[in-house]
């Protein structure tokens, strides 16, 4: 069983479209995150949720909207996609300080 | 604001050689420090972490790291590198809460020659 699973692994879409990425963790962790890894491999936090409550919301355009229906799921919806949104988006979960378990990533390409 | 610098973008070593990857951090309080590894097409995996106590910490896959407060450094080492260690390595610093954000360095790509 994959501990943190994301779907889809690849998305290719046109500018202006809307897309969603889903994430599920079966580790029983309280905290989940979305990180964005750009083309230079720089990894930056976008959001974190603790027990379904939004804890961290970095300076992210409001076209990005996370949703946590329950503790095990954290989805990311992106409206009106732009070229600069092309990146790999990682979901992660944690229970212990700093010990993040990452999914395999979802590579988004905006054309 | 917290920040992490990994001065080496790319390091190449021969299999069996020793390895040291550098990490310098900036943090206002006592830092919690981490090293993660990312294999191609995969997510990141935690190698080791430092919270307090002994400044030399052991991790998985034979890695260790040493915290030096005076140098604001947390360098990763391995005595003998294996071809399977080829990957990208990320240093990170974070607060002492389980839901606080980690700030990652830019990563160091490790290439291992046979």
């Amino acid at each position: 069983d994959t501990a943190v699973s994301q779907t889809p692994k690849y998305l290719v879409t046109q500018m202006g479209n809307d897309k969603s990425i889903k994430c599920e963790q079966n580790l029983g962790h309280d905290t989940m995150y979305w990180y964005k890894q750009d083309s230079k491999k720089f990894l930056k936090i976008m959001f974190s949720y603790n027990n379904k409550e939004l804890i961290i919301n970095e300076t992210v355009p409001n076209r990005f909207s996370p949703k946590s229906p329950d503790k095990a799921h954290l989805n990311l919806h992106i409206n009106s996609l732009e070229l600069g949104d092309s990146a790999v988006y990682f979901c992660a979960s944690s229970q212990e300080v700093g010990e993040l378990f990452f999914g395999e990533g979802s590579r988004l390409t905006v054309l | 604001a917290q920040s992490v610098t990994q001065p080496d973008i790319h390091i190449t070593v021969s299999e069996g050689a020793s390895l040291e990857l550098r990490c310098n951090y900036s943090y206002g309080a006592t830092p919690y420090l981490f090293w993660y590894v990312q294999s191609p097409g995969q997510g990141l995996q935690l190698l080791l972490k430092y919270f307090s106590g002994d400044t030399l910490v052991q991790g998985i896959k034979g890695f260790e790291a040493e915290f030096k407060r005076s140098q604001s450094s947390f360098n990763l080492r391995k005595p003998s590198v294996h071809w399977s260690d080829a990957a990208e390595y990320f240093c990170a610093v974070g607060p002492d809460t389980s839901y606080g954000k980690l700030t990652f360095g830019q990563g160091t790509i490790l290439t291992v020659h046979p």
Side-chain angles (χ1 to χ4, degrees):
Chain A
D1 260 356
T2 304
V4 181
S5 58
Q6 302 177 222
T7 54
K9 284 191 169 38
Y10 301 95
L11 306 93
V12 180
T13 189
Q14 301 286 332
M15 278 176 55
N17 284 350
D18 303 339
K19 286 295 177 187
S20 291
I21 307 171
K22 295 187 175 183
C23 178
E24 176 181 5
Q25 55 100 358
N26 62 9
L27 299 167
H29 290 167
D30 288 335
T31 309
M32 295 186 72
Y33 308 80
W34 280 110
Y35 276 83
K36 178 181 180 181
Q37 188 175 49
D38 63 23
S39 57
K40 294 184 180 176
K41 294 294 190 77
F42 187 58
L43 199 65
K44 192 169 190 300
I45 192 169
M46 301 173 70
F47 304 101
S48 88
Y49 274 75
N50 186 252
N51 275 318
K52 300 195 305 174
E53 182 185 347
L54 181 64
I55 300 294
I56 293 173
N57 183 350
E58 289 291 285
T59 310
V60 176
N62 57 15
R63 298 182 294 103
F64 290 78
S65 49
K67 278 195 174 54
S68 182
D70 56 58
K71 218 171 72 164
H73 295 85
L74 180 62
N75 303 324
L76 183 65
H77 187 75
I78 316 170
N79 289 324
S80 304
L81 279 157
E82 300 178 356
L83 291 177
D85 298 331
S86 295
V88 181
Y89 293 84
F90 285 99
C91 177
S93 72
S94 73
Q95 191 70 15
E96 303 294 330
V97 174
E99 190 164 347
L100 273 60
F101 288 76
F102 283 83
E104 293 187 345
S106 297
R107 182 176 294 276
L108 171 64
T109 303
V110 182
L111 303 175
Chain B
Q2 58 202 49
S3 67
V4 178
T5 302
Q6 293 179 244
D8 305 305
I9 295 174
H10 194 170
I11 282 185
T12 300
V13 299
S14 298
E15 192 168 14
S18 63
L19 172 69
E20 182 168 28
L21 302 182
R22 297 183 291 164
C23 172
N24 294 98
Y25 68 89
S26 172
Y27 193 71
T30 300
Y32 281 41
L33 295 158
F34 310 86
W35 274 99
Y36 280 81
V37 60
Q38 184 180 25
S39 298
Q42 302 292 314
L44 283 73
Q45 180 186 20
L46 180 68
L47 279 177
L48 47 79
K49 57 189 178 185
Y50 171 78
F51 290 168
S52 63
D54 192 347
T55 56
L56 185 63
V57 293
Q58 303 297 321
I60 62 171
K61 305 185 182 188
F63 285 92
E64 65 180 27
E66 186 170 14
F67 170 58
K68 293 185 178 179
R69 185 186 298 275
S70 61
Q71 298 176 18
S72 297
S73 69
F74 188 57
N75 295 349
L76 182 71
R77 300 195 295 246
K78 187 169 185 178
S80 177
V81 169
H82 188 262
W83 64 265
S84 60
D85 294 324
E88 188 151 15
Y89 292 80
F90 293 88
C91 182
V93 64
D96 59 353
T97 60
S98 62
Y99 48 80
K101 72 173 187 179
L102 288 189
T103 298
F104 285 85
Q106 309 94 307
T108 298
I109 298 170
L110 174 65
T111 299
V112 181
H113 279 323

